[in-house]
Amino acid sequence: MRSLLSIFVIFIVLACKVVAQERISSFIPSSAPDRIILTIKGDPSTTMAVTWRTDTSVSESVAQISQNLPTVFLADSSSVVTGTFEDVEGDGVVGRFHSVNFTSLRPGTTYAYRVGSGADASEWFTFKTASASADPYTFLFFGDSQMGTNSLFSRVIRQAYRAVPDARLMLFPGDLVDGGTGSKLQDDEWGEWHEADGFINAEIPVLPTPGNHEYYNPGDRTNRALNRYWKPGFTLPENGPAGLEETAYTLDYQGVRFIIVNSDVMLRSEDLTRKQAVWVEELLKNNPCKWTVMAFHHPLFSTSARRDNQTVRESLKPLIDKYGVDLVLNGHDHTYARGMIMPDGEEKKGKRAGTIYVVSVSGAKQYQQDAEPWWDLGLTNTQLWQAIAVDGNELEYRAYDASGTVVDQFTLKKKNNGNSLLNNAR
Ligand SMILES: [Fe+2]
Ligand SMILES: [Fe+2]
């Protein structure tokens, strides 16, 4: 009798484990679209991409789009666009990620769209395409959101949206979530990130780059592989170096050239480091835009004496110096710092600005920092977001903390010779 009881107990324990492994997520996909997110895959003045998730009962990737008319009969004026889907299996759940790229749109025009069909169609969302010219606009930046996203990052992104509702882009320099490669996807982290962002992701296109945590497998630290949600979950440009599709890419948006680098692979691949440096140089050499912003995960200049990304710095700093990149936005260090760094061998004389480097964090994970000579301001234990407004010859940067207070700001003014002057408002 005792052995029978033991077998029964073992069976129950094993059964619980199996159930736990099968369904660890609280964000189970259904036939209704969720995780709806806008990205830009092509020309931002004529295209916009949307990605969303369902369960496997949905066999068609369908979206509808119309100019944003005041009528309630939007569906009557809309076009149906079909796309593709990709299944991702992990944590006992199969998520079907659908992707549609809207093309032949009009520049500077507001559109309404929805994804899915029939009873499962989403609500109508709106977005605006980029102008064909360098009209003024504002983009947002969020350092590592990573942990506690639905608890604490949520207030940051919502405050940013409240403050700058017409922001045109949201840049995320990696570590959007904490982990999940291999067989264990940690789906709940993506569920929480999307829950925190809510409909904002469906109205303002996101420019993400992976950080080390998008290559991180908590079960096997030596096994580095891109999070399996990355490519199915974002519809991103494939205009970077071969092998880095949707992780290193470029976008010109109303007079700003964005260069999104995959810095994590630089730490372990000489080949991908060299390829990215060659690619970055081409983009900087043949740059039609007045402003250049680079974003990637690992800071060229850390906020901690114990953290240094020498490979990334040695491959990119000479190019940043040579071509006068205006702004470099990084994450990874889980603190805030901002400073201007001149090209190697050049002193700060006030005649022209060097490159402005920013390290920031938007989420709950916070580190200590050391006072480093390179920065004008450093902050710890502070959640932040940035609004960067570009208007002709002027770029205005503001960093806000999670209470909505402006904690840092500066202005760059571009001169006719291409050099900038820094007005350090602090
Ligand atoms: Fe990181
Ligand atoms: Fe991080």
Side-chain angles (χ1 to χ4, degrees), residues 270-281:
E270 276 181 33
D271 179 49
L272 292 175
T273 301
R274 188 180 42 76
K275 275 186 184 161
Q276 286 194 93
V278 168
W279 170 71
V280 167
E281 177 148 32

Side-chain angles (χ1 to χ4, degrees), residues 144 175 212-213 297 332:
D144 304 28
D175 290 6
N212 54 312
H213 281 265
H297 189 60
H332 189 57

Side-chain angles (χ1 to χ4, degrees), residues 382-396:
T382 306
Q383 287 181 263
L384 299 118
W385 59 278
Q386 284 76 20
I388 297 137
V390 184
D391 185 353
N393 289 327
E394 205 163 297
L395 180 151
E396 187 177 48

